Amino acid sequence: MLEFPVMSRRSVLQTAVALSLGGSLLTATAACTPEEPLQELTVAGGEAGGFYLEFATLLAALLQRERVAGRAVALTTGGSLENIQRVLSGEATFAVALADAAAQAAAPAGKAAQPESKLVALGKVYQNYVHCLVREDSGIRTFTDLAGKAAGVGEVGSGTTLTAGRIIAAAGLSEPDRAVKQVNLGLNQALAALKDGSIDVMIQSGGVPTAPIAAAARDLGVRLLDLSDLIPATRAQSGFFYDRVLIPANSYGDAPAVWTVGVANLLLCRSDLADHVVRQTVELLVEQAQDLVPKSSTGVQFLSPETLINTAGVPLHPAAEAAYRALHG
């Protein structure tokens, strides 16, 4: 669980916003009368057993408890890409999504970002860790050993499929003579396939620890591959969304620490979402972060005040930006 320093979360956020947003404050808006809560609000999450759905469930519960909405529910989905489409279509109020997938949706390849773009962020809510998992008895020790082998790369509609494909391409393993066979499998399906030998590796993006992977580490015997050497090539080919992050030792059984690829996870909405809903949600992200940390989390990747506004180039909703500035002032 997160442990907070003596300095308050508000004070830390004030410093971060001052450094990152800078300049003069936005023109103050006129005082508002109390706004009506939404009747219903939905948070597009992810697969059962994954951190997306766990976080979305906690957020929905908090939004309902604090009367941002009369009823708030989390949606089980395939992941980032599906979540983004659900928000854009109006099927979901909020979406949890990887920053690389969100940036692609906000400004598709070859096109400038549209001024009327409907996809915006409320903040970076946590860090995702790319898990590259093989059986301990497989003999596979490095990512390049995967040439010609079969990889589970996430469910259709997941951000993992995008990130995994980019890492595979950066490693030179999409060329015909060395190509990794990419198989669309969700988290639990991929673990089952790894166990029965129908795939050689599974790539999954999630928090640390991810409970089903932790269970597999106990029951099956697995190894996490170091992906950090592939970050420069992945960045060069696909953008600066990818960071070098550490999966701590003993996160999965007695496995040693391993460096891997990290991708920011954003909370997204449409730009036409009511300002008061956005403002209230941002205030909860800042002031009640302790209620949004899944119990299984090691506490190293969630709702850091100084990084909430670092949305990897995806624009903040204007009301979110105003809320962070108000918290600064």
Side-chain angles (χ1 to χ4, degrees):
M1 204 53 117
L2 286 174
E3 294 185 4
F4 300 108
V6 174
M7 182 182 290
S8 70
R9 292 186 60 84
R10 183 183 292 271
S11 297
V12 174
L13 183 66
Q14 288 172 354
T15 302
V17 173
L19 292 173
S20 300
L21 292 177
S24 60
L25 296 178
L26 293 176
T27 302
T29 56
C32 306
T33 56
E35 300 94 344
E36 290 293 324
L38 295 178
Q39 290 186 352
E40 185 166 327
L41 179 154
T42 53
V43 184
E47 308 176 64
F51 268 48
Y52 280 40
L53 185 58
E54 195 170 0
F55 174 79
T57 301
L58 291 172
L59 179 59
L62 181 60
L63 291 168
Q64 182 170 313
R65 187 165 68 246
E66 295 298 324
R67 299 182 181 178
V68 178
R71 180 172 182 265
V73 295
L75 304 177
T76 302
T77 71
S80 294
L81 301 178
E82 181 182 338
N83 292 351
I84 289 167
Q85 290 307 311
R86 286 189 180 229
V87 160
L88 290 174
S89 69
E91 294 178 62
T93 313
F94 294 123
V96 186
L98 292 173
D100 52 355
Q104 178 176 266
K111 298 181 181 179
Q114 298 299 312
E116 67 275 14
S117 174
K118 290 185 176 181
L119 188 68
V120 292
L122 283 81
K124 173 184 173 180
V125 288
Y126 64 91
Q127 181 73 43
N128 262 55
Y129 296 71
V130 178
H131 296 64
C132 186
L133 207 68
V134 298
R135 290 174 60 120
E136 198 166 28
D137 59 7
S138 67
I140 298 170
R141 295 294 181 267
T142 68
F143 198 80
T144 55
D145 292 339
L146 299 174
K149 298 188 183 298
V153 294
E155 188 173 353
V156 173
S158 72
T160 296
T161 60
L162 175 66
T163 306
R166 290 178 170 182
I167 293 171
I168 288 169
L173 297 182
S174 56
E175 302 298 326
D177 58 336
R178 308 183 68 223
V180 169
K181 180 183 178 183
Q182 298 183 44
V183 184
N184 287 116
L185 296 170
L187 171 61
N188 298 299
Q189 292 173 310
L191 285 168
L194 190 68
K195 183 175 182 179
D196 67 26
S198 54
I199 60 172
D200 302 288
V201 60
M202 65 170 284
I203 301 174
Q204 181 70 33
S205 186
V208 176
T210 296
I213 295 177
R218 291 191 302 268
D219 301 337
L220 178 61
V222 296
R223 180 187 307 277
L224 289 164
L225 301 185
D226 189 322
L227 302 181
S228 58
D229 287 347
L230 299 171
I231 293 173
T234 307
R235 283 182 152 203
Q237 292 183 15
S238 303
F240 290 89
F241 307 106
Y242 308 103
D243 298 314
R244 184 174 183 257
V245 295
L246 186 70
I247 296 178
N250 307 122
S251 296
Y252 297 102
D254 58 359
V258 63
W259 290 101
T260 189
V261 176
V263 188
N265 207 302
L266 309 180
L267 183 63
L268 305 169
C269 68
R270 283 174 31 152
S271 56
D272 58 0
L273 182 61
D275 287 357
H276 73 277
V277 174
V278 174
R279 185 189 70 249
Q280 291 167 344
T281 303
V282 165
E283 290 170 353
L284 294 177
L285 293 176
V286 173
E287 302 294 352
Q288 298 195 44
Q290 69 277 3
D291 293 329
L292 297 172
V293 183
K295 294 185 184 302
S296 58
S297 170
T298 59
V300 297
Q301 71 267 22
F302 278 88
L303 288 169
S304 171
E306 64 272 20
T307 61
L308 265 166
I309 56 178
N310 295 338
T311 53
V314 177
L316 284 167
H317 188 293
E321 185 173 344
Y324 288 124
R325 290 184 186 275
L327 288 163
H328 164 62

